[in-house]
Amino acid sequence: MEGPASPAPAPGALPYYVAFSQLLGLTVVAMTGAWLGMYRGGIAWESALQFNVHPLCMVIGLVFLQGDALLVYRVFRNEAKRTTKVLHGLLHVFAFVIALVGLVAVFEHHRKKGYADLYSLHSWCGILVFALFFAQWLVGFSFFLFPGASFSLRSRYRPQHVFFGAAIFLLSVATALLGLKEALLFELGATPQPRRTKYSTFEPEGVLANVLGLLLAAFATVVLYILTRADWKRPLQAEEQALSMDFKTLTEGDSPSSQ
Amino acid sequence: MEGPASPAPAPGALPYYVAFSQLLGLTVVAMTGAWLGMYRGGIAWESALQFNVHPLCMVIGLVFLQGDALLVYRVFRNEAKRTTKVLHGLLHVFAFVIALVGLVAVFEHHRKKGYADLYSLHSWCGILVFALFFAQWLVGFSFFLFPGASFSLRSRYRPQHVFFGAAIFLLSVATALLGLKEALLFELGATPQPRRTKYSTFEPEGVLANVLGLLLAAFATVVLYILTRADWKRPLQAEEQALSMDFKTLTEGDSPSSQ
C-alpha cells in the first residue's frame, strides 16, 4: 500500500500550491529589485551601488532557487529518478554561484568603504549557511550522484539529507530577514533613542520592506508545506520499487531490529 | 507494520537528542538573562528596565516552552494519549501567558517613552505569531480536547495542526532573532555610515548576542529534528491502534480514492 508503481497523476491540490509558491517566490524577487531600484539607487558593480548586488543575488540564489531546488521531487513525479536528481543538484549549483556573486559584492563593498567584516549576527548566519550549503551539496553529490554509494547507505543517509536541506533553506530565509532588518535600520532608523525615525513614521520604504519580509516568510512556509505533506511525496517508480522491496527483504532477513 | 501496540522502549538515540535540546533551550534562557543583566541593567517592571521583561518573557514563552510543548509527544511515548494532549495544551497556555506579559511590557515601555508602536518587521512578525498561536490553540483545543470532533475529522486535521505548530514555532524563533538584531543595532551600532561602531569592533555585548542568536537557531533545529524523524514518532497505543484500524477499514470500504 505504498505509492503506486505506474505513472500516477499528481495529487489534486499540489499543482495549485506549487503555482502559489512560484507566484510568491517571483514576487519576492521582483519586490527586492523594486526596493533596491526605488529606494537604493539601483544596481551596479563598479560603484557604491555594488552593495545592492548582495541582497538581490541572495534572494534569487539562496531563497528562490534553493526553494525551487527542494520542490523538484514534488513537481517531477514521473520522470526518471536520475534526471530529477541531476536537476536538483544543478539548481543548487546555480543557487550557489549566484550567492557567491552576492558574497563577493558585499566583501568588496566593505573593503572599498573600510567597513569591518563579519561582526553582525546576519553575517555569522550567512557564513554558516554557505558552509552548510557547500558541505550538504558535496555529501549529497557523493552519496546520490556519484556511482559508488550502496543502496543501503543511500537509504540511511536520505532522511538526514532531506532534513538538513530544509533546515539550511530555512536558515537562509532567516538570514535574509536579518539582512533586510539591518539594511533598514542602517538607513531608516537606528538612533540610540528611536523616538521618531523614518522607520517609525511608516516611511514607504519601511512598509515595503516589512511586506517583503512577510512574503519571504510566506514563501518559506509554502515550500515547507509542499515538502512535508506526506501524501504529496514522490511515488516510487517501478524499477525503484522493485529495488526497494529486494532491499527490504534482504535487510529484514538479516537483522530484525531497525535501529 | 505500523508502530507496535505494546509499551515500546524509546528509540536508542532519542533521549540524548531530547537532553541536548533541553541543554540548548536552558542555555538560551540563561544567556538572555545574562545579556540583560550584564549589559542592559537587569529587569524591573516599574522603571525604564521594563523593556527588558520583553525579550526574557518571549524567549522563555515563545521559544523554550513552545519548543518543549512540541516535544511532548516524543518524550511521553507510552502515557495515555489524553494525558499527553492535556500537557501539550497546558504548556502552550503557559507559553502564551508568559508571552503576553512580554507583550504588555513592550507596549507599556513604548507608551511611557512616547515611541511609535508596530512599525518594524520584528513587531509585524510578532503580532502575526501571536494571532496564529492563538488561532492554532483554539482550533487544536476544539478538535482534539473538546469531545465533539469525530475521529475522522481529527485524523484529517492532525497533519495540518502538526505542520502549522512547527511553522509557528519557527516563525517565533525568527522573530526573536529579528528582535535581538534590533536591540543590538539600537544600542551598539546603527549610524548611517557604520564604519566603526561598537558592534563592528566586536564589543563583548555584540559577540555574546551573536552567539545567543546562533544558539536560538540551534535550539530550533534540534527541536525540528526530533519532531520530524519518522522512526521517533509516538507509537500508537493498543486502543488507539484498534480505533485507527476500524477507521481505515471503514473509509477504505466506502471510498477507494485517498484525496
Side-chain angles (χ1 to χ4, degrees):
Chain A
M1 282 295 169
E2 286 280 294
S6 56
L14 174 59
Y16 297 100
Y17 279 80
V18 171
F20 185 50
S21 75
Q22 297 313 290
L23 185 69
L24 275 172
L26 291 171
T27 307
V28 160
V29 171
M31 216 160 155
T32 307
W35 166 53
L36 296 168
M38 287 167 69
Y39 299 107
R40 302 288 167 121
I43 283 187
W45 190 259
E46 293 292 345
S47 81
L49 297 177
Q50 188 176 21
F51 173 80
N52 295 347
V53 174
H54 176 72
L56 190 65
C57 281
M58 292 313 188
V59 165
I60 294 175
L62 289 181
V63 177
F64 183 61
L65 283 183
Q66 189 180 185
D68 274 12
L70 303 188
L71 294 184
V72 152
Y73 294 104
R74 300 294 174 278
V75 174
F76 300 100
R77 305 174 68 76
N78 296 312
E79 281 69 17
K81 184 83 177 249
R82 195 169 173 85
T83 319
T84 320
K85 272 188 199 175
V86 169
L87 182 60
H88 178 75
L90 265 182
L91 275 175
H92 276 102
V93 171
F94 291 148
F96 190 74
V97 170
I98 294 174
L100 214 54
V101 174
L103 194 70
V104 171
V106 72
F107 275 105
E108 285 222 341
H109 174 75
H110 279 194
R111 190 176 49 75
K112 286 177 193 163
K113 293 268 186 180
Y115 294 165
D117 286 321
L118 298 178
Y119 62 86
S120 75
L121 181 55
H122 166 70
S123 63
W124 289 24
C125 288
I127 293 298
L128 187 64
V129 162
F130 256 83
L132 293 175
F133 188 106
F134 190 63
Q136 166 94 348
W137 193 92
L138 278 186
V139 179
F141 181 83
S142 45
F143 269 75
F144 297 122
L145 279 170
F146 212 67
S150 70
F151 189 82
S152 120
L153 215 60
R154 286 182 182 181
S155 325
R156 239 173 298 164
Y157 170 56
R158 200 179 153 281
Q160 313 292 331
H161 183 77
V162 171
F163 175 79
F164 284 103
I168 293 167
F169 170 64
L170 289 176
L171 187 59
S172 305
V173 175
T175 307
L177 293 178
L178 286 174
L180 184 64
K181 183 98 202 186
E182 198 173 274
L184 286 177
L185 289 185
F186 281 155
E187 285 286 326
L188 292 183
T191 51
Q193 296 296 320
R195 199 178 299 261
R196 285 186 71 81
T197 61
K198 284 190 186 171
Y199 198 15
S200 78
T201 51
F202 295 91
E203 284 266 313
E205 179 180 352
V207 176
L208 180 86
N210 286 358
V211 173
L212 174 56
L214 293 183
L215 289 176
L216 278 164
F219 176 69
T221 308
V222 176
V223 168
L224 211 66
Y225 184 82
I226 297 172
L227 217 61
T228 53
R229 227 178 111 156
D231 53 339
W232 289 356
K233 294 229 187 308
R234 186 175 187 276
L236 285 177
Q237 301 303 308
E239 84 276 25
E240 298 161 33
Q241 196 162 37
L243 256 173
S244 153
M245 303 245 282
D246 284 356
F247 176 64
K248 235 179 189 165
T249 327
L250 223 79
T251 46
E252 277 173 3
D254 78 26
S255 101
S257 77
S258 69
Q259 172 58 3
Chain B
M1 281 294 169
E2 288 280 294
S6 55
L14 175 59
Y16 297 101
Y17 278 80
V18 171
F20 184 51
S21 75
Q22 297 312 291
L23 184 70
L24 275 172
L26 291 171
T27 307
V28 160
V29 170
M31 216 161 156
T32 308
W35 166 52
L36 297 168
M38 289 167 69
Y39 299 105
R40 301 287 167 119
I43 283 188
W45 191 259
E46 294 292 343
S47 81
L49 298 176
Q50 188 176 21
F51 172 80
N52 294 347
V53 174
H54 175 72
L56 190 64
C57 281
M58 293 312 187
V59 166
I60 294 175
L62 289 181
V63 177
F64 183 59
L65 283 183
Q66 188 180 185
D68 273 11
L70 303 189
L71 294 184
V72 151
Y73 294 104
R74 300 296 173 278
V75 175
F76 300 100
R77 307 174 66 77
N78 296 313
E79 280 69 16
K81 185 83 177 248
R82 196 169 172 83
T83 318
T84 321
K85 273 188 201 177
V86 169
L87 182 61
H88 178 74
L90 265 182
L91 275 175
H92 276 101
V93 171
F94 292 148
F96 190 74
V97 170
I98 293 174
L100 214 55
V101 175
L103 193 71
V104 171
V106 72
F107 275 104
E108 286 221 341
H109 174 75
H110 278 196
R111 191 176 48 75
K112 286 178 193 163
K113 293 268 185 179
Y115 294 164
D117 287 320
L118 298 179
Y119 63 86
S120 75
L121 181 56
H122 167 68
S123 63
W124 289 23
C125 288
I127 294 297
L128 187 64
V129 163
F130 256 83
L132 293 175
F133 188 106
F134 191 64
Q136 166 94 348
W137 195 91
L138 277 186
V139 179
F141 181 83
S142 46
F143 269 75
F144 297 122
L145 278 170
F146 212 66
S150 71
F151 188 83
S152 121
L153 215 60
R154 286 182 181 180
S155 326
R156 239 173 299 166
Y157 170 56
R158 199 179 154 282
Q160 313 292 331
H161 183 77
V162 171
F163 175 79
F164 283 103
I168 294 167
F169 170 64
L170 290 176
L171 188 59
S172 305
V173 175
T175 307
L177 292 177
L178 286 174
L180 184 63
K181 183 99 201 187
E182 198 171 272
L184 285 177
L185 289 185
F186 281 155
E187 286 286 327
L188 291 184
T191 51
Q193 297 296 321
R195 200 178 299 262
R196 286 186 71 80
T197 61
K198 284 189 186 170
Y199 198 15
S200 78
T201 50
F202 295 91
E203 285 265 310
E205 179 180 353
V207 176
L208 180 86
N210 286 358
V211 173
L212 174 55
L214 292 183
L215 289 176
L216 278 164
F219 176 68
T221 308
V222 176
V223 167
L224 211 66
Y225 184 81
I226 296 171
L227 217 61
T228 53
R229 227 179 112 156
D231 53 338
W232 289 356
K233 295 228 186 308
R234 186 176 187 276
L236 285 178
Q237 301 302 307
E239 85 276 28
E240 297 161 33
Q241 198 163 37
L243 257 171
S244 151
M245 302 245 284
D246 285 355
F247 177 64
K248 235 181 190 161
T249 326
L250 222 79
T251 46
E252 278 172 3
D254 79 24
S255 100
S257 78
S258 68
Q259 170 59 5

